Amino acid sequence: MKDKLYTIPVNDAFDKGGECPLCNMIDELEQKAIDFTMGPSYMEDDVRGETSRLGFCERHIELLYKNQNRLGLSLIIKSHMDKIINDVEKLSANDVKTTVPSLFKKHSDNFSVADYIEKLSKTCYICSKIDSTFERYIATVFYLYQHEEEFRMKFKDSRGFCTRHYSILYKEANKHLSGRQFKEFIEILNSLYLNNMKRVRDDLEWFINKFDYRYANEPWKNSKDALPRAIKKTNSISLD
């Protein structure tokens, strides 16, 4: 298989296995984004400008804190707080009806403090870095499915996908595939999702049964890690 831009991480994610190859991609992108943000880049003006403008979601501020670069994170958060204070002061000083062009590119003549805070609560520097690359990964999945028999077999042999990423693949399919190949892809995708959801559901059911004294002497089978795998399937969260 000829590896082009983005095909290596996509193939690596499917090779890694697990309950959702697309979650593998997200996990890798997330770690790289955290490392980048807390590396020397946080001293660069363009990076600091974006982190000050966008801030971080609850999940990623927690991961940044766990990175242990407390000085770097303190500098980043201080700049973000300076930005918020400056923007809110401007908005409130003008009877909450002005524009803060530095937050979002689209201007509004009726932009209030409440609007500002609401939009700020929905932005995250780490999420934006992940999302921009992940979109290209999704396109690469379909490119490889179209052109590489080896990848199609890898796709068919996977353990399916979490609900979130199943939905993304389902919605994006008609943008990249057509005719017989589109129909085949959807059939395979549905089968992978449902069969593997049932597999994990059955493992979880057996895990529950093991807490019943009647099953105390029965083997665990594949159920010992059923709960984190079920959470992966339903909520796209890695707990291992």
Side-chain angles (χ1 to χ4, degrees):
M1 179 180 292
K2 295 181 179 180
D3 285 307
K4 301 179 178 63
L5 189 61
Y6 300 118
T7 64
I8 293 175
V10 169
N11 273 302
D12 287 348
F14 275 85
D15 290 338
K16 186 177 180 180
E19 296 297 344
C20 180
L22 272 63
C23 282
N24 294 341
M25 298 177 199
I26 292 290
D27 291 344
E28 182 70 17
L29 288 172
E30 183 175 66
Q31 187 57 56
K32 287 182 177 179
I34 294 292
D35 292 342
F36 174 83
T37 303
M38 299 312 301
S41 62
Y42 74 81
M43 295 299 294
E44 298 175 7
D45 290 342
D46 58 338
V47 174
R48 185 71 68 84
E50 285 295 281
T51 58
S52 297
R53 182 174 69 91
L54 298 174
F56 304 95
C57 66
E58 290 88 347
R59 169 177 170 78
H60 289 135
I61 198 66
E62 182 178 358
L63 291 178
L64 288 168
Y65 184 78
K66 290 178 179 179
N67 183 268
Q68 298 299 320
N69 184 354
R70 300 295 165 79
L71 174 59
L73 185 57
S74 296
L75 291 167
I76 291 170
I77 293 178
K78 180 187 177 299
S79 294
H80 181 49
M81 294 175 74
D82 288 341
K83 179 72 169 59
I84 294 172
I85 291 167
N86 183 60
D87 289 343
V88 171
E89 283 180 339
K90 287 181 179 179
L91 286 167
S92 58
N94 288 279
D95 195 26
V96 301
K97 288 185 178 181
T98 188
T99 300
V100 184
S102 56
L103 178 61
F104 293 97
K105 293 182 179 179
K106 291 184 178 179
H107 296 181
S108 171
D109 294 329
N110 216 17
F111 198 75
S112 70
V113 171
D115 294 328
Y116 173 84
I117 297 301
E118 181 181 0
K119 286 190 176 293
L120 185 62
S121 69
K122 297 176 182 178
T123 61
C124 172
Y125 177 73
I126 300 295
C127 287
S128 67
K129 284 186 70 66
I130 292 170
D131 291 345
S132 62
T133 305
F134 187 64
E135 288 178 6
R136 299 185 183 101
Y137 284 1
I138 294 297
T140 302
V141 169
F142 288 105
Y143 170 85
L144 290 170
Y145 188 90
Q146 278 184 297
H147 297 96
E148 303 286 355
E149 176 62 26
E150 182 180 341
F151 181 81
R152 283 195 292 274
M153 295 305 298
K154 192 180 296 187
F155 187 93
K156 294 175 184 177
D157 290 339
S158 72
R159 294 182 182 179
F161 305 91
C162 68
T163 299
R164 177 189 173 193
H165 293 138
Y166 161 70
S167 175
I168 289 175
L169 290 171
Y170 197 102
K171 291 176 181 177
E172 292 292 315
N174 64 3
K175 298 178 184 179
H176 301 271
L177 306 173
S178 60
R180 183 177 59 81
Q181 196 169 52
F182 168 77
K183 182 180 178 181
E184 176 195 73
F185 179 87
I186 293 298
E187 288 175 353
I188 292 171
L189 180 65
N190 287 340
S191 178
L192 281 171
Y193 175 72
L194 289 171
N195 289 342
N196 284 284
M197 281 287 283
K198 291 173 183 177
R199 170 180 57 80
V200 176
R201 184 275 316 273
D202 291 347
D203 288 344
L204 188 62
E205 183 177 33
W206 188 251
F207 177 82
I208 295 168
N209 287 341
K210 282 293 294 174
F211 287 85
D212 187 324
Y213 74 93
R214 293 173 296 178
Y215 296 89
N217 295 322
E218 296 292 332
W220 282 89
K221 301 179 182 179
N222 295 320
S223 69
K224 285 189 175 182
D225 63 344
L227 183 55
R229 287 190 290 112
I231 291 172
K232 166 71 78 174
K233 287 294 193 190
T234 57
N235 292 86
S236 312
I237 296 173
S238 299
L239 297 175
D240 49 359

